[in-house]
Amino acid sequence: MERKKNNLRDLLMIHGAVLLFGLAGVISKDITTGSMMITFGRVFFSSITLYILCMATRTSIKLKSKSDFMWLVITGAVLALHWFSFIESVRVASVAVGTITFSTFPLFVTFIEPVMFREKLRLKSVICAIVMLIGVFVLVPLDDLAGFSPAGLAWGMLSALTYALLSLMNRRFSAVYPGSVVCFYEQCAAAVVLLPFVAVMRPAVTGIDITLIAVLGVFCTAFAHSLFVSSLRRVKVQTAGIIAGMESVYGIVLAALVLGMLPTARELIGGAIVLGVSLYTTVSENKGA
């Protein structure tokens, strides 16, 4: 009973994290500076927040070995590459291409996780990931795919692959360290990797931009990623990845509530598919605890 209760808590933590991820898209609409500055600002404010959080809760940020430090730095670099490749996919192609290609990451996770952790490949996870991807296709307007390009597709697939690897690497660390500690090192490493690009580009930024980016960093990055990583201690990355597909649905709901942007019939159909798969995965995973 206790295990089932903990499993439900972890599943709810994933949904909470994904809800905050969806909120990030709504907040970003009012930010005027470039994507690179937004990304750097998120990890910068997130790093500070996570450090303060660890100090306030007296959570030790000391790692068990130099090897763990090295791998967390590498994971942070993978995080930076993920965000850069996603932005580049959108820039070279379109938002639709970037979104759809990124949404293939549960498929990567489904096939890589059993190999990395010597687990059995679950047919249910494969089917759910494919159906989830179909739902995302329905969500995106077909006319937006006019921006398709091989380069945009390649960047988008790299974005999906790096996010899958990032999630799997976080599963390993979440079994050893609190989510806030794992995210602290990763966010710091990502900030260091992105700093030279921001220094060269010198993007213009307003006071309102800084305020909104700080909100993104504190709530939609620090807290969201800490929740997501912490939940991986007991939840398979395959399951977490499928639930993460709810980000597009949460984004639509938040856009309707905050910005007054009502969903179209297509978005309602695609959202229903994604929501159905996510609910099925959540319920079946909790029953199997």
Side-chain angles (χ1 to χ4, degrees), residues 194-261:
L194 293 168
L195 181 59
F197 295 97
V198 174
V200 172
M201 296 173 65
R202 296 183 180 180
V205 59
T206 66
I208 295 178
D209 286 341
I210 294 176
T211 301
L212 292 176
I213 291 174
V215 173
L216 285 178
V218 174
F219 296 102
C220 302
T221 306
F223 290 152
H225 279 269
S226 293
L227 286 173
F228 193 84
V229 173
S230 296
S231 69
L232 297 178
R233 183 168 298 186
R234 283 176 288 266
V235 176
K236 289 182 178 294
V237 180
Q238 296 175 42
T239 302
I242 292 171
I243 295 176
M246 280 291 293
E247 179 179 346
S248 55
V249 177
Y250 286 137
I252 291 172
V253 173
L254 289 169
L257 294 176
V258 179
L259 304 176
M261 298 172 59

Side-chain angles (χ1 to χ4, degrees), residues 7-165:
N7 197 64
L8 178 60
R9 183 190 64 186
D10 291 330
L11 291 170
L12 292 176
M13 286 170 60
I14 295 175
H15 278 281
V18 175
L19 176 62
L20 290 173
F21 292 155
L23 180 61
V26 176
I27 295 175
S28 298
K29 287 183 177 295
D30 292 325
I31 301 178
T32 59
T33 191
S35 298
M36 185 63 73
M37 183 60 196
I38 294 174
T39 303
F40 171 75
R42 287 182 67 173
V43 294
F44 174 76
F45 284 110
S46 176
S47 299
I48 296 176
T49 301
L50 289 167
Y51 180 76
I52 295 174
L53 180 63
C54 289
M55 294 300 101
T57 57
R58 296 184 179 181
T59 302
S60 174
I61 60 174
K62 184 177 180 180
L63 301 179
K64 297 182 183 296
S65 66
K66 292 182 179 179
S67 175
D68 284 349
F69 174 78
M70 179 190 71
W71 278 109
L72 279 170
V73 170
I74 292 175
T75 305
V78 172
L79 175 63
L81 178 58
H82 156 66
W83 272 330
F84 175 78
S85 57
F86 176 76
I87 294 170
E88 196 66 11
S89 175
V90 172
R91 187 184 69 83
V92 173
S94 66
V95 174
V97 172
T99 301
I100 288 177
T101 51
F102 166 68
S103 297
T104 63
F105 88 87
L107 289 175
F108 283 110
V109 169
T110 298
F111 289 103
I112 297 176
E113 185 173 32
V115 176
M116 287 185 62
F117 294 92
R118 297 179 181 179
E119 297 171 346
K120 184 179 179 180
L121 177 64
R122 300 190 296 181
L123 179 60
K124 180 181 71 174
S125 297
V126 177
I127 295 174
C128 285
I130 293 174
V131 175
M132 176 74 74
L133 186 59
I134 292 173
V136 174
F137 266 99
V138 175
L139 278 170
V140 179
L142 293 178
D143 54 0
D144 279 0
L145 295 180
F148 173 81
S149 73
L153 176 64
W155 281 114
M157 295 304 291
L158 178 60
S159 171
L161 175 60
T162 50
Y163 192 77
L165 292 174

